[in-house]
Amino acid sequence: MPRPIRLFLPLFLLALALTACYEPLEYELVIDVSDTGAYAMSFDGTIGALGLREAQLEGATQEELDEMMAEIDVFIADRQDVEVSEYRGDGVYYVRGQAAYSGTDTDTIFDMWLVEVSRQLGELTFRTVPFDQGTLDMFASFGYELEGRIILRSEAPIIESNGKQGPDGHYWENEVLLSEGMRITLATP
């Protein structure tokens, strides 16, 4: 590799690790919604640091990887919604955490792009996007498989949902999350 490119690579890999998304891999996400429209989220599972994994697969040096992992560790440790985290190898972190949101918020735990929260007058909607084959193939190239489950318990009336009703609330298993995504709208004051 030419010297100017080699000098630039550590900075590029570090920027990639910090800006890359953290994808939930094997997880359970629980959402509790009150009749006021406030909600809480708890997450227990693994996330893939895609930038770190890509750097590993592209042959970054151990020094470069250590620097990236140190930055990711600081990023995770600084989050108030993270209770426990542990690096498990291959760009995978185990993370457990929880966060509470008011009746006007639309935030998600870990600022997770996977779940979209929106509000309209009298409605609160949670959605996830289905995964296309190209995205699944990309995760497979990193050695990752997606295996998730979402549970939503609500005191608020449900207007519409593509989830199943169970004893613990509405839920979405991995097949539905991958092919259709999650969609639920609740009535709020």
Side-chain angles (χ1 to χ4, degrees):
M1 179 180 303
R3 186 162 176 73
I5 293 174
R6 184 75 179 135
L7 291 174
F8 175 70
L9 185 62
L11 294 174
F12 171 73
L13 292 174
L14 180 59
L16 182 63
L18 294 176
T19 59
C21 65
Y22 300 93
E23 176 64 39
L25 301 174
E26 293 181 31
Y27 66 93
E28 181 171 89
L29 174 65
V30 178
I31 306 169
D32 289 297
V33 182
S34 76
D35 57 356
T36 66
Y39 59 96
M41 292 184 164
S42 62
F43 181 93
D44 188 3
T46 58
I47 58 173
L50 302 185
L52 174 60
R53 185 63 179 146
E54 185 169 22
Q56 290 170 332
L57 293 172
E58 299 221 348
T61 67
Q62 189 59 50
E63 182 180 326
E64 293 164 343
L65 295 173
D66 289 345
E67 187 176 342
M68 292 173 72
M69 287 189 291
E71 292 291 331
I72 292 169
D73 289 343
V74 168
F75 173 78
I76 291 173
D78 284 348
R79 297 202 53 90
Q80 292 181 2
D81 49 4
V82 173
E83 297 170 345
V84 174
S85 70
E86 172 186 81
Y87 183 65
R88 298 225 170 136
D90 294 336
V92 175
Y93 287 81
Y94 167 75
V95 180
R96 185 179 70 232
Q98 60 184 344
Y101 305 96
S102 74
T104 58
D105 285 333
T106 57
D107 296 326
T108 60
I109 192 164
F110 314 140
D111 298 322
M112 192 178 299
W113 72 268
L114 173 72
V115 180
E116 175 188 309
V117 182
S118 61
R119 292 183 185 272
Q120 295 183 19
L121 186 60
E123 293 182 357
L124 172 62
T125 300
F126 295 90
R127 293 179 24 136
T128 65
V129 234
F131 289 85
D132 61 26
Q133 192 57 50
T135 303
L136 295 174
D137 291 344
M138 188 257 315
F139 285 113
S141 75
F142 285 175
Y144 294 160
E145 289 185 28
L146 303 176
E147 185 63 45
R149 175 182 165 109
I150 298 176
I151 300 169
L152 188 139
R153 299 183 287 236
S154 177
E155 295 173 0
I158 295 170
I159 297 171
E160 176 266 329
S161 172
N162 71 332
K164 294 181 180 178
Q165 179 66 45
D168 293 327
H170 273 70
Y171 67 94
W172 294 261
E173 296 290 353
N174 197 56
E175 282 179 29
V176 173
L177 292 172
L178 293 177
S179 64
E180 298 175 39
M182 165 204 189
R183 291 183 317 278
I184 187 165
T185 301
L186 306 129
T188 59

